[in-house]
Amino acid sequence: MRMDLTEKGISSEEVFSGKLLHVFCDGVILPNDTKTKREYIKHPGASCVVPVTEDGKVIMVRQFRYPFHRVLLEIPAGKLDSGEDPVAAARRELKEETGAVPEDLIYMGPFYPTCAYSDEVIHMYLARGLHFEQLQLDDDEFLTTEAIPLEALIKDVMTGVIEDGKTQTALLKAYYLIKGE
């Protein structure tokens, strides 16, 4: 017999409202009828893209990530604008960060990066049939791009060189999809 694990919300208070993040503290009733609090972050969502060239290389980005105070190697990604469709965001971010425009954009599913304290969902895509146009970085965005063989990136995921969760997951999914063709 399965236990009902649902927590029932009884109150909600926004305790911080920022440009990107909104922090809430909700009162809930647990499955055993105990009352407690849950703190969590509301996030607008995001899209990420594994852009694979005809010769099997992935266009990666290096950018400084302030919370870690260092540069990380990642796939192109970005948050959804208000009301924006995840596919449109994937195409926009890919072009802005790499200049790449895909013929095919294949949905690889959702990724919940921090389900214990945020409602963020990152929509993962595989991009194929790339052609390149001019980069369109945001004014506050600084990054470099490089093309790295997918096989080498998978090794880097498995050995811990690539630490970003969305990048790890999306690269592994893309590799599985491509090898299954």
Side-chain angles (χ1 to χ4, degrees), residues 11-50:
S11 65
S12 184
E13 177 187 2
E14 186 172 16
V15 295
F16 174 79
S17 179
K19 181 180 174 185
L20 171 65
L21 304 175
H22 301 271
V23 180
F24 288 79
C25 182
D26 289 5
V28 300
I29 299 176
L30 301 176
N32 66 357
D33 291 327
T34 302
K35 291 181 180 178
T36 193
K37 301 276 185 182
R38 293 288 187 235
E39 296 173 345
Y40 66 100
I41 298 168
K42 284 195 175 187
H43 187 282
S47 289
C48 67
V49 185
V50 179

Side-chain angles (χ1 to χ4, degrees), residues 7-178:
E7 298 178 5
K8 295 167 185 65
I10 55 175
S11 65
S12 184
E13 177 187 2
E14 186 172 16
V15 295
F16 174 79
S17 179
K19 181 180 174 185
L20 171 65
L21 304 175
H22 301 271
V23 180
F24 288 79
C25 182
D26 289 5
V28 300
I29 299 176
L30 301 176
N32 66 357
D33 291 327
T34 302
K35 291 181 180 178
T36 193
K37 301 276 185 182
R38 293 288 187 235
E39 296 173 345
Y40 66 100
I41 298 168
K42 284 195 175 187
H43 187 282
S47 289
C48 67
V49 185
V50 179
V52 181
T53 63
E54 294 301 319
D55 62 353
K57 292 181 180 174
V58 178
I59 309 302
M60 301 289 290
V61 298
R62 287 191 190 274
Q63 57 187 327
F64 185 80
R65 291 302 194 179
Y66 186 81
F68 297 100
H69 296 287
R70 62 193 178 95
V71 174
L72 295 179
L73 181 65
E74 305 173 49
I75 56 174
K79 74 172 186 62
L80 303 178
D81 290 337
S82 180
E84 186 177 28
D85 178 71
V87 173
R91 289 183 181 281
R92 177 180 50 77
E93 287 293 335
L94 182 60
K95 185 163 192 288
E96 284 178 4
E97 295 184 0
T98 70
V101 177
E103 287 179 21
D104 298 312
L105 205 55
I106 302 157
Y107 189 60
M108 298 191 297
F111 176 67
Y112 302 157
T114 52
C115 61
Y117 62 86
S118 176
D119 68 351
E120 180 181 11
V121 177
I122 301 174
H123 300 276
M124 299 179 294
Y125 295 89
L126 170 62
R128 309 289 297 269
L130 306 177
H131 71 272
F132 292 87
E133 297 178 0
Q134 184 69 32
L135 291 183
Q136 296 177 335
L137 294 176
D138 293 334
D139 291 338
D140 62 348
E141 193 169 32
F142 302 91
L143 55 82
T144 61
T145 61
E146 57 190 275
I148 302 172
L150 180 58
E151 302 275 345
L153 291 169
I154 296 304
K155 181 179 176 187
D156 287 348
V157 167
M158 299 308 293
T159 59
V161 173
I162 294 177
E163 300 163 304
D164 175 58
K166 73 178 177 312
T167 299
Q168 292 175 344
T169 302
L171 285 171
L172 291 169
K173 285 186 148 211
Y175 181 78
Y176 182 81
L177 284 173
I178 290 169

